[in-house]
């Protein structure tokens, strides 16, 4: 069977290195892997950027997102070569819905009181308070690692939370997902709600928000499951 290229899309307050413990497992399986740097400027703009990455890939793609990156792949995943979606501890919006609306249905997570706003010429960037980053984002990850992640965050423009999703790829693509049940950045109830609405094949993992660092084997195994499923579907 022809295997899809796995495209890993990071979320807010992180960068491509957040998949550092998962990528070696996928490469060892002989999979092609692409881990683009998401601009984190706006939901629509970020989805367009990921769309340009997808357009440059020959053959089928399995699109994997984490956190805010789940919303990005929900929009970008309507690209013709995307055969499946994998959601990791993230937002799964409906078409026409913003992340603020989705989160607003449920109690705020600890992240809400830990954000730092920094003006820039065209808007406001949001990042996580460095001192609170470990507890909010990655309480079960090596403190030496979280100390580095805290000071190397990729901020998210505040406008991304209020922008409506222009598409919902899960309506036409099979999807798998991990709910991080000890998540303090995105309320697990937000994850359950979005996954159930989208018909996601769901796995619960006792993990912080940064599930790729704390439970890389579980993440890699779910991606393997999705790779096999979309490959078999194409071959049938």
């Amino acid at each position: 069977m022809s295997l899809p290229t796995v495209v890993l899309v990071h979320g807010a307050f992180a960068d491509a290195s957040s998949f550092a413990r998962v990528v070696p497992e996928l490469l060892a399986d002989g999979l092609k892997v692409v881990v683009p740097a998401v601009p984190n400027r706006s939901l629509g703009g970020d989805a367009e950027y990921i769309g340009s990455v997808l357009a440059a890939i020959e053959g089928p793609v399995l699109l994997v997102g984490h956190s805010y990156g789940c919303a990005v792949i929900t929009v970008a995943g309507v690209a013709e070569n995307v055969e499946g979606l994998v959601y990791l501890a993230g937002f799964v919006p409906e078409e026409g819905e913003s992340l603020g609306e989705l989160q607003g249905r449920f109690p705020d997570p600890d992240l809400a009181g830990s954000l730092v706003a920094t003006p820039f010429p065209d808007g406001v960037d949001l990042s996580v308070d460095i001192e609170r980053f470990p507890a909010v984002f990655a309480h079960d990850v090596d403190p030496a690692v979280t100390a580095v992640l805290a000071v190397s965050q990729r901020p998210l423009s505040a406008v991304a939370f209020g922008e409506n999703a222009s598409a919902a790829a899960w309506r036409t693509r099979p999807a798998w997902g991990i709910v991080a049940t000890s998540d303090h950045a995105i309320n697990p109830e937000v994850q359950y709600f979005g996954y159930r609405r989208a018909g996601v094949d769901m796995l619960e993992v006792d993990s912080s928000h940064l599930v790729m660092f704390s439970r890389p084997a579980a993440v890699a195994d779910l991606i393997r499951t999705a790779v096999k499923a979309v490959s078999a579907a194409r071959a049938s």
Side-chain angles (χ1 to χ4, degrees):
M1 294 183 293
S2 174
L3 299 177
T5 296
V6 179
V7 178
L8 304 171
V9 179
H10 69 79
F13 324 126
D15 59 23
S17 68
S18 60
F19 288 102
R21 297 191 67 192
V22 174
V23 169
E25 295 207 34
L26 302 180
L27 293 177
D29 289 346
L31 291 167
K32 295 179 181 178
V33 180
V34 176
V35 195
V38 183
N40 285 358
R41 297 295 81 195
S42 69
L43 180 55
D46 293 338
E48 286 182 7
Y49 174 76
I50 293 301
S52 71
V53 173
L54 299 175
I57 296 173
E58 293 186 10
V61 167
L62 178 71
L63 198 49
V64 181
H66 172 245
S67 187
Y68 165 71
C70 292
V72 175
I73 72 167
T74 293
V75 177
V78 296
E80 186 176 346
N81 59 340
V82 174
E83 295 190 335
L85 309 167
V86 176
Y87 293 115
L88 306 174
F91 292 107
V92 182
E94 171 64 280
E95 182 177 354
E97 182 178 57
S98 72
L99 303 190
E101 287 178 289
L102 179 53
Q103 171 59 58
R105 295 188 174 98
F106 304 92
D108 283 341
D110 293 343
L111 175 67
S114 305
L115 294 175
V116 176
T118 304
F120 66 93
D122 297 320
V124 175
D125 263 344
L126 299 176
S127 60
V128 183
D129 180 88
I130 291 173
E131 298 300 321
R132 300 190 65 180
F133 185 96
V136 170
F137 222 70
H139 62 263
D140 52 0
V141 176
D142 182 348
V145 173
T146 58
V148 174
L149 297 176
V151 299
S152 57
Q153 298 176 52
R154 192 179 189 97
L156 177 68
S157 178
V159 299
F161 282 105
E163 186 178 350
N164 293 337
S166 61
W170 47 262
R171 289 193 167 277
T172 55
R173 306 290 190 278
W176 296 259
I178 285 178
V179 173
T181 58
S182 296
D183 199 331
H184 298 297
I186 297 179
N187 187 333
E189 292 303 315
V190 174
Q191 300 172 43
Y192 282 120
F193 175 82
Y195 290 9
R196 288 168 179 156
R197 181 174 61 181
V200 172
D201 190 348
M202 185 176 13
L203 173 67
E204 295 175 316
V205 174
D206 183 10
S207 168
S208 67
H209 188 59
L210 206 61
V211 63
M212 307 91 73
F213 263 103
S214 66
R215 299 290 297 275
V219 171
D221 282 346
L222 184 63
I223 293 172
R224 292 183 183 112
T225 295
V227 165
K228 290 176 183 176
V230 299
S231 299
R234 189 180 343 107
S236 63

